[in-house]
Amino acid sequence: MNLAIDAGGTHLRAELWQEGVLIAQRETKSNKTGLCAWIEKLLLEYKKVATVGISYAGQVEDGIIHSSPNIKVDCHNIKMVVEQKFGVKLYIQNDLNCAVLAEAKEFGVQNICALYVGTGVGLGVVEGGRVIRGAHNVATELGHIPYKKTALTCGCGRNNCLELFASGSGIAKQIASKNLICAPTLEALKAIGEDSIVTSFEEALLAAAGTTLTLFNPQVLVLGGGVMEANLYLEEFILKNIKQYALPNSLQNVTICKSRLKNATLMGALLLKDFT
């Protein structure tokens, strides 16, 4: 059996697969239990699991969790701990690295970028059929590039990250800073006439998409994540305005579209054993 886990800033989700068949699904809130403790609980329940693949919304390297702006870490050396205790093989990668593996398989291309906007902002890049990871597996951390200084503080500790503007957590922080009474969504902000936060989000999203296209020149730019899914107009908004934010040559023959996958990060976690 293979256990695939999506560890996000809001939820922990798991799927158990056996010979290509989905056997079971589990879900819990990220703030209710630690990832390692939850995995141990699942492995005690499903004793025939041979591999565990984890899509993680944070920075990981060689099976070790270094940091996560939006998830509490209960065990850093998760690969060693789980493998020694349960005799399984564990693979863990950044969630967008997992997502882009699944998206590359879905679109059948060698050069693709996956830009996901949810609790945070994430980017995964496949170039020539291989995931770009960098020297310490922290390449393409788009949400934490310098964008604009603000009075708010990102989960990474800085005050100028793109994620403070173009993410669900960024929207929530801006709402709190203004003492607004509304849900942390673009729709709720529009309903109360708070257009400035919506506009700053849209501009930051265009900057993220334009930077991605200019830097990596993909065949396909896939848009995903909870905020994108909840705001269907954003795909058309990007298509209409992207020319002002990207190098013209990077827009030649590029496909920009929403993800067609229901849960690319989970699908990518299942693929990790074949790419590690």
Side-chain angles (χ1 to χ4, degrees):
M1 291 184 178
N2 299 310
L3 180 62
I5 294 174
D6 177 21
T10 306
H11 296 93
L12 300 177
R13 297 185 175 92
E15 291 184 351
L16 187 70
W17 291 78
Q18 185 174 23
E19 297 179 353
V21 178
L22 179 62
I23 303 298
Q25 294 175 300
R26 293 288 187 272
E27 182 175 319
T28 188
K29 293 284 188 180
S30 299
N31 60 3
K32 282 190 175 182
T33 182
L35 174 60
C36 190
W38 195 55
I39 291 173
E40 291 188 4
K41 181 180 177 180
L42 292 171
L43 292 178
L44 287 171
E45 182 178 358
Y46 299 103
K47 300 183 184 298
K48 293 185 179 181
V49 170
T51 65
V52 179
I54 305 171
S55 163
Y56 191 79
Q59 298 175 358
V60 298
E61 181 184 10
D62 297 329
I64 298 173
I65 297 171
H66 288 297
S67 68
S68 175
N70 302 305
I71 305 175
K72 182 179 179 180
V73 180
D74 66 337
C75 175
H76 287 275
N77 200 345
I78 192 167
K79 178 178 174 67
M80 183 188 75
V81 169
V82 173
E83 288 188 346
Q84 288 184 356
K85 188 170 183 177
F86 293 95
V88 300
K89 291 294 292 182
L90 185 143
Y91 307 91
I92 182 169
Q93 267 294 335
N94 172 268
D95 56 345
L96 265 297
N97 286 351
C98 290
V100 80
L101 283 175
E103 298 287 8
K105 183 178 180 180
E106 170 70 13
F107 283 90
V109 295
Q110 294 288 299
N111 297 280
I112 184 170
C113 293
L115 173 60
Y116 277 40
V117 182
T119 303
V121 177
L123 176 66
V125 179
V126 165
E127 165 68 28
R130 298 178 64 87
V131 176
I132 294 179
R133 294 177 177 168
H136 299 289
N137 210 37
V138 293
T140 72
E141 279 284 359
L142 184 67
H144 300 287
I145 64 171
Y147 179 62
K148 292 180 182 179
K149 285 190 176 181
T150 174
L152 307 175
T153 302
C154 181
C156 74
R158 295 186 298 156
N159 68 348
N160 63 347
C161 291
L162 181 69
E163 188 166 293
L164 287 169
F165 298 87
S167 72
S169 60
I171 291 170
K173 288 175 182 178
Q174 291 188 64
I175 288 173
S177 72
K178 292 190 173 186
N179 296 314
L180 300 175
I181 307 299
C182 73
T185 66
L186 297 177
E187 184 178 4
L189 287 165
K190 290 177 181 179
I192 64 171
E194 191 60 44
D195 295 331
S196 62
I197 296 177
V198 176
T199 299
S200 68
F201 169 87
E202 292 173 345
E203 290 176 348
L205 178 61
L206 283 169
T211 298
T212 297
L213 290 166
T214 301
L215 287 179
F216 300 107
N217 187 210
Q219 296 166 276
V220 180
L221 172 61
V222 185
L223 309 170
V227 175
M228 292 296 304
E229 292 168 6
N231 298 275
L232 299 179
Y233 82 94
L234 289 174
E235 178 184 9
E236 185 63 31
F237 176 80
I238 291 173
L239 289 170
K240 181 179 179 180
N241 296 286
I242 194 62
K243 289 182 180 179
Q244 302 171 52
Y245 289 81
L247 187 70
N249 287 351
S250 70
L251 296 172
Q252 291 184 12
N253 301 317
V254 66
T255 297
I256 302 174
C257 62
K258 283 186 61 180
S259 176
R260 304 188 296 226
L261 302 176
K262 186 175 180 180
N263 199 327
T265 50
L266 258 179
M267 294 176 66
L270 200 62
L271 294 172
L272 285 178
K273 65 183 185 298
D274 301 319
F275 285 90
T276 303

